[in-house]
């Protein structure tokens, strides 16, 4: 075994060449051994990044054959059932790259699977960040960039799956048209502008194409870069544990460990996408036939990430208003506008505002670098689960026809159930989650004061039987003790003393009450050191339980 | 690093580098016992892997990388041998290429992970964090520069200048918006744009100057009323002369249903029917999907997109779902040869609602011709 003593001259010479031109050594000196904390949940965002890379590569490959044209041609390719059928060039070229280009079908399926993985992993990553409070100062801006990325990814998905111009994608396009035209005042004009005239016209595929392969990807790429630069600059959050504080990062260095792991993780993502493209057929456009606005197949469904919009459209009651009666103005089709805009609006605006709302309610202006355990902020976790329930119900009822067929329930009943569940499930999710969080906190407090059950029964000289409790490992102990009371605004509006200026009036009072409810310590961890097993005495609340200005966990300012 | 050609690490002399895997040049090849190396003390937080375990892992990693190389060879072989074309051939090619590529990528990934986990050290290194907020001194300097620059530019003192700039910039912002006007290629005047949604090609005459016949979609054949005489039947119908005109079909596609006279309810305009045959717009009034499903027993028309359900016996009024309006009825009759033709256009706009639609049904009713 021989080890390097110095940089090999070939590397050092080219590095010298570059450094003489870029002066990059100080940057590398700071960053080559940058520490990255390790936790499985931190990898979810990486999946999104790697799927994006796969999307760029496979997408570029597809553009070499795809023709974004709606000109009519008669099919003369090798797929028999469509021989002589009139279709758009877009559809014909999609068939061509599927059947006549070696590896074309594989890459097309990879592109579609990677798109699903991209959005799914972004959503999972977002939930991880939300539930651990990793959006808190100083990461609010990166959170907003993330929300923009997700929104753009939805638009990218919509423009992308419209391109092959098969019967299924056309159904999606038709729904898009119906939504656009429903918008008050501008809808009709917007619709003519998008489609270049009548629907479907001759232009929309070419227009969606340039949006799909140039405009949105360019913005995505810029935002992804910004997202990564900010993450790099602010350093990653870490889970609580032994030796981990708000003022340090504990983990493995970028070079060589993180580099190797990240490289391997990209390859794993790629392998999964290739595997799906090999074994799981997706979007078999040749079975659907070319698009015509006169036809549709039953069970038409969008990709999963747009299903919540589909579900909203399906469970919405038939409300429509004519503001000015028979005069040719003022029709407001609420049965389209509400489901198309409201859920998306609630979710996106809610996501963007949440960090600032939480900050306003708790009055917490400190930097946070420790990922909070979801149970330790029960209201936040409940709000998150409530949002998931809201989204989940809409998503589920995007397939209400499949659902009623599967459960052998009438379609009408299924839809009515959806209308009830969209209200009740979020409330139920909130209550259940809140109780679960408190229960888990109690268990934590219990483990700290009594240790964990060892399964060993001991008989005391007095004849009494006791179970021996083993103390927690140092790391688990530190992990649990990382819990902090959620900051609250100073009391006031509730009648204790004179309220502070910001806490007066209607808004101020509301803020005070929300702060009282949201913050504070519900289940304090009492054990002084947690290592005294069975006869744990309840000592003073330790550092984790009381003050918010604790040195270890706050960057004082 | 100032001098251009100075490498990062200077070597005392330029001696040939030893080949990796051969002994160091200064170590004796034979005989003399190896001088014990100075005890390697890893820095704190770096726990080297167990050498025996590492050696075992190394063999596994090499095996993985070997499989990767072989799989890539297989991929190229499959690319050359398996031709595409038919569904079967394409399926086989897809399977072979995908499998070999997946194995190649997967084994490379596994190899690297084994390498990282079992050969590289375990790290628990610690780095300090610093508050994101910059130092007071830097912030003050920036503020100073900002004020200085703003004053130097004259932006603050010369109010007129400032007030002239903003409208100029705003005016320039109008340009891209104006440029987008021709996105609507037909260049219809803004006032007439909504009117294009109110008409379909059923209101136009054919090239021979006759009312358009109803054509069975896909077959191109006109329909003789006498041939469509089984109650419960359903046909998808397109206007004569526009069988492949997607823009026309997006509004003018119609479903033709044969009803028993006793089933017909008041919502249906019987003057627009012919011998129990009724024609409704196939374009759903919700968001425009084709309402293509028909249940014979209940006479319900169902749109598969969002499950709006219409009663065919009662003027296609909505019985369930998010659609707010009935499917418009097309007035039909027969020509001299007994073929079904359109008497005229729909009385109301077809398809999804739009801002300028208004309550077209009420308007049509007051004008007398309505259903």
């Amino acid at each position: 075994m021989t080890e390097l003593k110095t940089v090999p001259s070939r590397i050092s010479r080219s590095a010298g060449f570059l450094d003489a031109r870029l002066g990059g050594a100080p940057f590398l000196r700071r960053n080559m051994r940058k520490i990255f904390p390790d936790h499985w949940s931190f990898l979810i965002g990486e999946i999104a990044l790697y799927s994006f890379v796969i999307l760029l590569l496979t997408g570029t490959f597809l553009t070499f054959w795809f023709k974004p044209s709606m000109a009519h041609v008669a099919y003369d390719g090798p797929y028999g059932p469509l021989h002589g059928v009139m279709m758009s060039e877009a559809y014909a070229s999609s068939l061509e790259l599927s059947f006549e280009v070696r590896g074309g079908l594989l890459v097309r399926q990879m592109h579609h699977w990677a798109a699903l993985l991209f959005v799914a992993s972004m959503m999972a990553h977002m939930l991880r960040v939300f539930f651990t409070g990793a959006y808190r100062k100083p990461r609010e801006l990166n959170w907003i960039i993330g929300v923009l990325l997700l929104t753009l990814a939805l638009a990218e998905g919509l423009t992308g799956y419209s391109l092959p111009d098969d019967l299924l994608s056309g159904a999606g396009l038709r729904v898009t048209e119906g939504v656009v035209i429903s918008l008050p005042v501008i809808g009709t004009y917007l619709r003519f502008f998008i489609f270049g005239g009548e629907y479907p016209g001759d232009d929309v595929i070419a227009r969606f194409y340039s949006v799909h392969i140039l405009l949105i990807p360019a913005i995505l790429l810029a935002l992804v870069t910004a997202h990564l630069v900010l993450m790099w600059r602010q350093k990653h959050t870490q889970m609580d544990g032994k030796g981990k504080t708000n003022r340090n990062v504990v983990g493995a260095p970028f070079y060589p460990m993180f580099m190797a792991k990240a490289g391997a993780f990209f390859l794993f993502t790629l392998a999964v996408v290739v595997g799906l493209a090999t074994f799981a057929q997706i979007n078999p456009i040749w079975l659907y036939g070319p698009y015509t606005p006169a036809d549709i197949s039953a069970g038409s469904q969008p990709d999963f990430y747009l299903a919540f919009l589909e579900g909203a459209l399906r469970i919405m009651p038939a409300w429509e208003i004519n503001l000015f009666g028979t005069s040719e103005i003022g029709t407001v089709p609420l049965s389209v506008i509400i489901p198309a805009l409201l859920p998306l609006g609630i979710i996106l605006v809610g996501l963007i505002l949440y960090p600032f709302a939480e900050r306003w309610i708790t009055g917490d202006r400190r930097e946070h670098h420790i990922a909070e355990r979801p149970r330790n902020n029960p209201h936040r976790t409940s709000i998150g689960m409530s949002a998931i329930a809201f989204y989940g119900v809409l998503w589920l009822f995007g397939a209400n026809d499949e659902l009623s067929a599967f459960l052998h329930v009438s379609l009408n009943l299924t839809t009515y159930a959806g209308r009830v569940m969209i209200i009740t499930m979020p409330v139920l999710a909130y209550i259940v989650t809140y109780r679960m969080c408190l229960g888990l906190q109690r268990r934590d407090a219990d483990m700290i004061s009594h240790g964990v059950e060892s399964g060993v029964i001991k008989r005391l000289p007095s004849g009494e039987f006791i179970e021996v409790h083993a103390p927690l490992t140092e790391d688990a102990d530190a992990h649990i003790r990382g819990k902090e009371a959620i900051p609250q605004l100073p009391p006031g509006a509730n009648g204790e003393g004179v309220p502070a200026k910001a806490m007066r009036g209607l808004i101020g009072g509301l803020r005070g009450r929300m702060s009282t409810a949201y913050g504070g310590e519900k289940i304090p961890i009492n054990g002084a050191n947690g290592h005294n097993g069975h006869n744990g005495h309840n000592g003073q609340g330790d550092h984790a339980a009381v003050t918010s200005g604790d040195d270890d966990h706050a960057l004082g300012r | 690093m100032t001098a251009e050609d100075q490498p990062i690490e200077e070597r005392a002399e330029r001696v040939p580098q030893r080949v990796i895997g051969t002994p160091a040049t200064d170590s004796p090849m034979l005989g003399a016992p190896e001088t014990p190396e100075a005890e390697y003390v890893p820095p704190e937080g770096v726990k080297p892997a167990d050498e025996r375990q590492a050696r075992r892992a190394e063999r596994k990693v090499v095996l993985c990388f070997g499989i990767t190389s072989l799989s890539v060879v297989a991929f190229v072989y499959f690319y050359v041998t398996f031709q595409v074309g038919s569904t079967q051939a394409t399926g086989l090619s897809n399977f072979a290429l995908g499998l070999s590529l997946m194995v190649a990528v997967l084994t490379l990934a596994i190899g690297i992970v084994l390498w990282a986990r079992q050969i590289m050290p375990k790290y628990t290194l610690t780095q300090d964090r610093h508050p994101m907020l910059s130092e007071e001194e830097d912030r003050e300097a920036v503020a100073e520069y900002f004020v200085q620059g703003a004053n130097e530019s004259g932006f603050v003192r010369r109010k007129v200048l400032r007030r002239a700039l903003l409208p100029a910039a705003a005016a320039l912002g109008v340009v891209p918006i104006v440029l987008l006007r021709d996105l609507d290629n037909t260049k219809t005047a803004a006032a007439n744009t909504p009117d294009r949604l109110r008409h379909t090609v059923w209101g136009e005459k054919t090239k021979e100057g006759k009312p358009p016949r109803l054509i069975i979609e896909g077959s191109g054949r006109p329909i003789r009323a006498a041939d469509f005489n089984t109650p419960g039947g359903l046909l998808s119908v397109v206007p004569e002369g526009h069988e492949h005109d997607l823009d026309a079909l997006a509004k003018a596609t119609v479903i033709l249903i044969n009803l028993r006279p006793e089933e017909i309810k008041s919502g249906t305009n019987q003057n627009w029917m012919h011998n129990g045959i009724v024609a409704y717009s196939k374009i759903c009034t919700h968001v425009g999907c084709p309402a293509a499903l028909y249940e014979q027993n209940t006479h319900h028309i169902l749109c598969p997109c969002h499950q709006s359900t219409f009663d065919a016996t009662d003027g296609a009024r909505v019985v369930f779902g998010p659609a707010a309006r009935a499917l418009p009825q097309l007035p039909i009759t027969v020509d001299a040869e007994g073929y079904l033709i359109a008497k005229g256009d729909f009385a109301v706009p077809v398809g999804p609602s739009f801002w300028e639609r208004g309550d077209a049904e009420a308007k049509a009713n007051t004008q007398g011709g309505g259903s």
Side-chain angles (χ1 to χ4, degrees), chain A residues 4-325:
Chain A
L4 286 181
K5 298 274 190 300
T6 55
V7 180
S9 72
R10 237 180 295 167
I11 293 176
S12 105
R13 247 181 290 137
S14 41
F17 175 89
L18 285 175
D19 194 47
R21 282 151 187 85
L22 305 171
F27 174 82
L28 291 179
R29 184 179 169 186
R30 275 198 314 273
N31 287 303
M32 270 172 85
R33 296 288 274 188
K34 189 181 182 70
I35 300 300
F36 279 82
D38 202 9
H39 191 268
W40 64 267
S41 67
F42 299 165
L43 299 179
I44 303 171
E46 281 185 56
I47 301 180
L49 175 67
Y50 303 142
S51 341
F52 183 60
V53 174
I54 296 171
L55 283 169
L56 289 180
L57 296 175
T58 51
T60 306
F61 181 88
L62 296 178
T63 62
F64 296 152
W65 287 275
F66 179 73
K67 296 187 186 72
S69 153
M70 295 176 89
H72 270 58
V73 293
Y75 183 69
D76 61 350
Y79 183 64
L82 288 176
H83 259 294
V85 174
M86 293 298 290
M87 58 179 63
S88 67
E89 263 195 293
Y91 184 57
S93 62
S94 302
L95 291 174
E96 186 203 331
L97 74 85
S98 301
F99 283 123
E100 294 166 68
V101 175
R102 281 176 284 179
L105 180 62
L106 186 72
V107 175
R108 216 199 86 221
Q109 301 209 106
M110 279 173 69
H111 193 69
H112 204 132
W113 276 117
L116 299 191
L117 190 63
F118 181 49
V119 183
S121 53
M122 281 170 102
M123 287 176 172
H125 173 59
M126 186 186 73
L127 291 176
R128 194 282 293 173
V129 170
F130 181 83
F131 284 123
T132 57
Y135 55 79
R136 291 176 295 176
K137 186 181 172 187
R139 296 184 178 77
E140 302 98 323
L141 297 179
N142 227 11
W143 169 257
I144 292 174
I145 291 177
V147 176
L148 293 179
L149 281 169
L150 183 61
T151 318
L152 283 169
L154 297 184
E156 182 72 347
L158 178 73
T159 50
Y161 89 54
S162 298
L163 292 181
D165 205 24
D166 57 281
L167 193 56
L168 183 62
S169 84
L173 201 59
R174 183 88 219 211
V175 175
T176 311
E177 188 246 1
V179 168
V180 170
I181 208 171
S182 76
L183 299 174
V185 187
I186 56 164
T188 306
Y189 295 92
L190 205 56
R191 181 262 203 194
F192 277 97
F193 286 161
I194 291 174
F195 292 94
E198 295 292 342
Y199 174 88
D202 302 321
D203 302 307
V204 69
I205 298 271
R207 287 175 184 181
F208 273 24
Y209 186 62
S210 51
V211 170
H212 180 76
I213 70 157
L214 180 70
L215 186 62
I216 301 180
I219 304 172
L220 277 175
L221 191 60
L223 287 179
V224 165
T225 311
H227 203 66
L228 292 178
V229 167
L230 273 179
M231 182 273 292
W232 191 281
R233 172 103 180 102
Q234 296 173 335
K235 299 193 172 85
H236 208 284
T237 53
Q238 59 188 350
M239 290 291 171
D240 231 319
K242 188 182 159 217
K244 295 174 186 172
T245 72
N246 220 354
R247 287 168 175 273
N248 70 9
V249 198
V250 179
F254 178 77
Y255 168 77
M257 183 54 103
F258 189 77
M259 247 166 82
K261 278 191 177 175
F265 203 48
F266 168 74
L267 293 169
F268 272 122
T269 312
L270 180 60
V272 167
V273 169
V274 174
L276 284 168
T278 308
F279 299 110
Q281 186 181 67
I282 189 164
N283 205 18
I285 50 168
W286 54 92
L287 298 181
Y288 305 146
Y291 177 59
T292 150
D295 287 315
I296 185 132
S297 54
S300 291
Q301 236 116 38
D303 279 346
F304 89 91
Y305 45 83
L306 290 174
F308 77 106
L309 291 174
E310 179 81 0
L313 281 167
R314 288 179 181 206
I315 64 173
M316 181 70 195
W319 297 344
E320 180 164 317
I321 304 174
N322 284 302
L323 292 176
F324 308 107

Side-chain angles (χ1 to χ4, degrees), chain B residues 189-202:
Chain B
N192 299 334
T193 298
D195 288 335
R196 289 150 71 188
L197 297 171
R198 300 185 207 280
H199 309 291
T200 75
V201 291
W202 289 115

